[in-house]
Amino acid sequence: MVKDVSIIMDIPVYKSTLIKTTELLLTWIDQGKMHQQIVTANSEIIYKSKKDSKLRKILQRAALVTADGMGVVWASRILGDPVPERVTGYDLLHALLQLGNERQISTYLVGAKPEVVSAVAFEIKRLYPNVNIKGYHHGYFDSVTERELLEDIKEKQPDLLFVALGSPRQEFWISDHLTDLPVKVAIGVGGSFDILAGVIDRAPEKWQKLGLEWAYRLIREPSRVGRMAALPKFALSVWKDKFFRRH
Ligand code: UDP
């Protein structure tokens, strides 16, 4: 577990930039560290972990939790222990593959629809030709297919496992299986495969810089409105923590 963290609602969030986080993870891979679970956490998942003790334990025991959303960066500032920037699953995926391309790391992809994950594998091969994609599998499996999938990962022994099953499902899945898998680093990357395959588009950079990626997503996918309800609750909780820590 990393030491340089900002504690947000009892969750240790790594205080580092995208590039430093990427370098750290590649160093772990070089060193042969095994079973390192990485969580890219937004405010929704951190808020959820307040009420869900299984999820909270996963986040607290993860090798590293990054600040995936602007809400988490904001909370760290309010609490007086700021993280320097967002480190999203999507950016981390690209940065790891880009730097990993020079080191010829290997990877395995799990999640999203069959046509999406195969398009992602194709795109990664195109962008990062030296990354060895040891296998990929869609994220809509039953228990029989899941067993086959786990056997395949065991056989292929990838350095890096990307899991895109949505949050927190992917966090539970990684936590349930990682100790049995010969994988060095496993990361939950949410909807990143859909963006990489071009099924959904990411917010323009301007929106991202203004911290409004969530609003862009809400406009594009109005069905997410229920999930967004966690945001004001998260904000209120952060203010409460700030008040009670000070007095
Ligand atoms: N997904 C999956 N299996 C499932 C449910 C979802 O592989 O049983 C995939 C889905 O196709 C999508 C991703 O998980 O690619 C969820 O993306 P979302 O943007 O909802 O991620 P989140 O915002 O939850 O991180």
Side-chain angles (χ1 to χ4, degrees):
M1 210 179 289
V2 288
K3 298 244 156 31
D4 195 12
V5 293
S6 178
I7 305 292
I8 301 169
M9 273 180 215
D10 297 328
I11 305 302
V13 179
Y14 188 36
K15 288 200 291 187
S16 190
T17 58
L18 172 66
I19 188 70
K20 286 205 173 131
T21 305
T22 307
E23 278 163 2
L24 178 66
L25 298 186
L26 288 171
T27 305
W28 287 353
I29 290 175
D30 282 348
Q31 291 170 344
K33 276 195 170 197
M34 299 300 287
H35 315 135
Q36 307 294 309
Q37 177 166 9
I38 314 304
V39 180
T40 60
N42 58 18
S43 40
E44 186 191 336
I45 193 99
I46 292 187
Y47 185 73
K48 208 173 241 174
S49 76
K50 227 176 121 116
K51 306 226 162 82
D52 183 331
S53 63
K54 188 176 174 207
L55 181 60
R56 188 164 61 246
K57 275 187 197 124
I58 292 174
L59 266 69
Q60 288 174 337
R61 289 175 189 167
L64 199 148
V65 177
T66 74
D68 184 281
M70 219 32 226
V72 182
V73 176
W74 167 84
S76 71
R77 289 181 190 153
I78 293 290
L79 295 168
D81 194 12
V83 300
E85 64 182 14
R86 284 176 78 191
V87 178
T88 69
Y90 183 73
D91 292 330
L92 198 52
L93 180 146
H94 272 293
L96 280 164
L97 293 175
Q98 193 181 347
L99 290 185
N101 193 44
E102 293 155 22
R103 307 181 193 206
Q104 307 186 341
I105 59 164
S106 62
T107 188
Y108 198 109
L109 317 168
V110 175
K113 295 191 177 136
E115 66 278 15
V116 171
V117 72
S118 59
V120 169
F122 185 83
E123 192 60 4
I124 292 175
K125 266 185 213 141
R126 187 180 74 78
L127 294 170
Y128 311 109
N130 297 325
V131 170
N132 179 0
I133 302 175
K134 291 209 165 172
Y136 59 86
H137 198 287
H138 63 79
Y140 296 85
F141 36 76
D142 56 23
S143 56
V144 176
T145 338
E146 184 182 36
R147 224 173 299 134
E148 285 165 9
L149 163 64
L150 292 167
E151 281 310 313
D152 195 43
I153 300 174
K154 270 186 199 162
E155 197 184 302
K156 307 271 175 65
Q157 308 191 8
D159 295 323
L160 193 51
L161 176 66
F162 289 111
V163 184
L165 297 175
S167 194
R169 190 161 175 251
Q170 62 203 14
E171 276 66 44
F172 288 126
W173 195 82
I174 292 174
S175 166
D176 286 346
H177 300 293
L178 192 57
T179 47
D180 293 332
L181 297 174
V183 167
K184 291 174 186 146
V185 171
I187 310 182
V189 290
S192 300
F193 289 0
D194 292 324
I195 302 174
L196 196 50
V199 177
I200 56 171
D201 56 347
R202 197 175 179 195
E205 216 158 296
K206 238 192 213 166
W207 289 62
Q208 288 181 42
K209 283 203 176 123
L210 290 169
L212 290 174
E213 189 160 15
W214 62 273
Y216 186 85
R217 254 197 119 175
L218 189 57
I219 295 165
R220 289 303 174 100
E221 301 168 67
S223 58
R224 295 178 80 90
V225 70
R227 296 178 55 170
M228 300 271 172
L231 281 172
K233 291 184 195 155
F234 172 80
L236 192 64
S237 219
V238 170
W239 279 111
K240 274 193 198 152
D241 275 3
K242 180 183 167 72
F243 182 78
F244 287 115
R245 270 193 208 178
R246 287 261 169 95
H247 292 80

